[in-house]
Amino acid sequence: MKKIITLATVAFMLISCSAKKTTASATTKNTEASDYFNSVSTERLKTNLTVIASDEMEGRDTGSEGQKKAGRYIIDFYQKNGISYPKGATDYYQRIPAAYLNAKRNQNLPDSENIWVFIEGTEKPDEIVVISAHYDHIGIRKGEICNGADDDGSGTVALMEMALAFQKAKNEGRGPKRSILILHVTGEEHGLHGSRYYSENPLFPIANTVADVNIDMIGRRDKFHAESNNYIYLIGSDYLSTDMYNVCEEANKKYNFLTLDYKYNDKNDPNRFYYRSDHYNFAKKGIPVVFLYSGEHEDYHKPTDDVEKIEFDALTTRTKYAFSIAWEIANREKRLVVDKAEAK
């Protein structure tokens, strides 16, 4: 009699576990980016940016106490929201020595740090989707604090919201199939140093890095879009991977976010924006990238790049769009295929 009960119990448990797996799989399959990008909060974007781009941070120059203070604020946000640093790391920092920062062009920069957080994938945890933005700026110039609200405070707070949305999905058992590495990089303003350091000293193998979605200045509008802020420049999405280009296009069409502008996507564009932000160090390694950008404005690298001039409706929509791109890359059945020549 005991054997019969035991076998029946085992059979029931196996059936129960199978049902749970089927339900979980179906739940993941039916999850849409919109289930989570709608958690992006305009009010929270404003609250965080008001702190990060405040005079207290003294312009967040690379390695400065102001940048480190901003970094501590960012980490505190993640800790309060239960978002941890990556597996294999000892804390939220990837430390970069001054010798590295000054090796190419000595600007007497002190030691600095990238900041990273991690949402582990449910099905393909070893495949990594990087979402990057730089959190440094240019500090104090001629006695005036350059707060860098748009450059790149806007990208910094967008990453914080995206991390929150991915963690929410994870907490609800609907997390991304691939792992998400949120990477706040330092040293962009002095030569893309932080992203270069990570690409040369990756925590996870470069071969396992599926893509980089990079965000730099998405809080304003430029002179070419004076009548509307409902746009975004996409740069580099088609350079290495047709899949990346298609993901960006299809996510936008699906949710009717923005007008996609490819004005600066030409490698021969004299502004050379493709070479001027942190995605480039990933592209050099053959990793598909996309750079989201809203263009230069009259306050670029000036003390007048302040929070009061940020268009938070546009910042919110652009953050949601960036999330939807990363969500699709993280959850598609196959990783993005590199089917074009390596970016130069």
Side-chain angles (χ1 to χ4, degrees), residues 77-306:
F77 173 87
Y78 288 132
Q79 289 176 322
K80 286 178 178 176
N81 285 286
I83 306 173
S84 186
Y85 51 84
K87 293 194 318 178
T90 56
D91 58 24
Y92 288 93
Y93 293 117
Q94 183 185 35
R95 293 168 177 81
I96 307 175
Y100 183 92
L101 295 169
N102 294 297
K104 287 196 169 185
R105 183 161 55 104
N106 188 4
Q107 296 178 299
N108 294 315
L109 297 172
D111 295 347
S112 192
E113 306 85 20
N114 292 332
I115 294 171
W116 48 25
V117 297
F118 188 68
I119 296 91
E120 187 172 27
T122 57
E123 295 181 22
K124 302 174 187 288
D126 294 334
E127 294 186 13
I128 311 297
V129 179
V130 177
I131 310 174
S132 59
H134 70 93
Y135 74 108
D136 66 320
H137 192 52
I138 61 172
I140 300 172
R141 299 283 176 91
K142 297 180 180 179
E144 294 188 273
I145 299 173
C146 299
N147 285 318
D150 193 24
D151 185 15
D152 187 25
S154 61
T156 300
V157 296
L159 259 60
M160 294 163 74
E161 284 297 300
M162 292 169 71
L164 207 60
F166 274 114
Q167 187 65 52
K168 177 177 168 63
K170 176 78 171 179
N171 292 347
E172 294 178 0
R174 303 168 80 186
K177 292 178 182 178
R178 294 176 177 84
S179 296
I180 303 294
L181 178 66
I182 301 286
L183 191 62
H184 297 271
V185 292
T186 186
E188 192 271 356
E189 297 287 8
H190 291 278
L192 313 184
H193 296 319
S195 56
R196 180 167 53 87
Y197 187 82
Y198 180 84
S199 72
E200 294 173 358
N201 302 273
L203 184 60
F204 304 101
I206 285 294
N208 292 359
T209 304
V210 173
D212 174 46
V213 178
N214 184 53
I215 305 171
D216 194 347
M217 296 177 61
I218 59 166
R220 299 276 296 270
R221 71 179 77 184
D222 66 8
K223 64 182 180 180
F224 301 109
H225 300 86
E227 301 303 316
S228 174
N229 61 21
N230 193 50
Y231 73 95
I232 193 72
Y233 292 112
L234 290 190
I235 302 173
S237 65
D238 62 343
Y239 283 14
L240 288 167
S241 172
T242 304
D243 283 345
M244 173 65 94
Y245 172 81
N246 289 337
V247 164
C248 295
E249 284 283 331
E250 289 164 11
N252 193 57
K253 287 174 185 173
K254 184 174 184 178
Y255 299 109
N256 194 29
F257 282 121
L258 299 155
T259 297
L260 304 184
D261 193 329
Y262 291 95
K263 175 181 176 64
Y264 297 120
N265 194 50
D266 185 346
K267 287 184 184 178
N268 295 316
D269 179 78
N271 295 284
R272 293 178 59 80
F273 290 131
Y274 175 69
Y275 305 94
R276 289 170 53 185
S277 194
D278 292 295
H279 59 278
Y280 183 58
N281 283 315
F282 291 92
K284 286 196 298 183
K285 299 288 185 179
I287 297 166
V289 302
V290 61
F291 173 26
L292 284 77
Y293 176 57
S294 57
E296 283 191 8
H297 45 72
E298 63 274 13
D299 300 305
Y300 175 68
H301 278 196
K302 293 180 180 177
T304 47
D305 182 8
D306 289 324

Side-chain angles (χ1 to χ4, degrees), residues 38-52:
N38 285 319
S39 68
V40 171
S41 164
T42 302
E43 190 58 37
R44 201 162 44 232
L45 285 165
K46 188 171 186 178
T47 297
N48 287 330
L49 187 54
T50 299
V51 174
I52 287 168

